[in-house]
Amino acid sequence: MTETRVKATRADFVHEKLRADILAGRVEPGERLKSAELCRRYETSVGAAREALNRLQAEGLVQSRPHVGYIVTPLSERDLSELTQARVEIESLVLGLSIQNGDVAWEGQVIAAFHVMERTPFMDADDPGRISDQWAAAHADFHFALLAACPNARLAKLARSLREESSLYQLWSVSFKREPARDGLGEHRAILKAAVDRNVPLAGELLRDHIQHTTRLLIIE
């Protein structure tokens, strides 16, 4: 194996481990990420640690601050509140338009996406402290399927962007274990039924409650 490939492999390892620690809440929002400490924790080189940090910054999990260095992306209550308000208004509107315009093929896609999410392990088998990447992807696919029949491309794009922006908060709401008994699957099943029944008011109400519930888990009064 070449020296270049060895360095890349080390960076891959640190990236994977640090990403898992961030998503599981073992490294908390706002915590400083010092290269020397990362090298000791993951038994790696400074170069591999910095490469991993650069990748995580591109993914939005890490930020670089002047005179401070790298930190885990902070959990901002103001940002989360504003993001939630925008999602509640835009995503419920897009869902309603999607339900009104969706055909039988759309119904089938939504049902299939729910089936995949329902059958996908929720927690990571190798790291029970965090949601599995497979479930996170299946969850996103289900919500995007719900919105897929919206005829307004601009609104649909905005709703998708807001949902993607909120993904880190969604993962943290589970990692911090503030409501372990939450029936998330039941919430999704109810939204699915309302959508397939073409009940726009109920589907919108359920989706708004679903989004706001996640926010309440992270904002502690």
Side-chain angles (χ1 to χ4, degrees):
M1 184 179 290
T2 66
E3 183 178 353
T4 299
R5 184 55 197 156
V6 169
K7 290 180 179 178
T9 301
R10 288 175 178 169
D12 290 342
F13 171 80
V14 179
H15 169 265
E16 179 181 342
K17 294 298 183 183
L18 181 53
R19 180 177 182 275
D21 286 341
I22 291 172
L23 294 180
R26 290 188 289 268
V27 183
E28 296 190 355
E31 185 174 334
R32 288 188 65 186
L33 299 169
K34 299 178 181 179
S35 293
E37 293 179 2
L38 294 178
C39 289
R40 286 194 296 272
R41 179 185 298 174
Y42 302 113
E43 300 180 347
T44 191
S45 66
V46 173
R50 287 178 178 170
E51 173 64 23
L53 288 170
N54 287 333
R55 294 186 199 177
L56 291 166
Q57 183 177 10
E59 295 171 12
L61 297 178
V62 164
Q63 295 180 2
S64 179
R65 298 284 180 85
H67 313 298
V68 175
Y70 290 98
I71 64 170
V72 178
T73 296
L75 195 168
S76 165
E77 291 191 6
R78 177 177 179 179
D79 178 62
L80 178 56
S81 295
E82 291 178 353
L83 180 58
T84 299
Q85 182 180 21
R87 285 188 60 207
V88 164
E89 298 298 331
I90 299 299
E91 197 166 333
S92 60
L93 171 61
V94 172
L95 176 61
L97 293 171
S98 187
I99 292 171
Q100 291 169 356
N101 289 274
D103 55 14
V104 174
W106 168 79
E107 283 187 18
Q109 291 167 359
V110 173
I111 292 170
F114 176 81
H115 179 73
V116 172
M117 181 180 66
E118 184 179 30
R119 295 300 182 91
T120 301
F122 184 55
M123 304 305 289
D124 191 316
D126 297 323
D127 185 1
R130 72 181 184 96
I131 294 175
S132 71
D133 291 339
Q134 294 78 13
W135 189 90
H139 175 247
D141 288 344
F142 170 68
H143 279 280
F144 291 146
L146 283 168
L147 307 179
C150 175
N152 188 314
R154 289 183 179 273
L155 283 174
K157 182 178 180 180
L158 178 56
R160 186 183 184 100
S161 176
L162 290 170
R163 171 161 284 279
E164 290 175 340
E165 190 176 346
S166 71
S167 61
L168 181 57
Y169 289 121
Q170 293 169 2
L171 292 170
W172 274 340
S173 74
V174 175
S175 296
F176 295 162
K177 297 179 176 64
R178 288 178 176 162
E179 191 181 44
R182 180 184 183 184
D183 183 13
L185 189 61
E187 294 175 25
H188 290 104
R189 185 180 289 107
I191 295 171
L192 169 64
K193 185 178 186 306
V196 172
D197 289 346
R198 308 297 172 137
N199 190 333
V200 172
L202 178 59
E205 179 183 352
L206 291 171
L207 179 63
R208 287 190 291 272
D209 288 345
H210 179 67
I211 293 171
Q212 292 169 333
H213 195 151
T214 296
T215 297
R216 289 195 296 270
L217 296 180
L218 288 169
I219 297 180
I220 304 300
E221 300 297 339

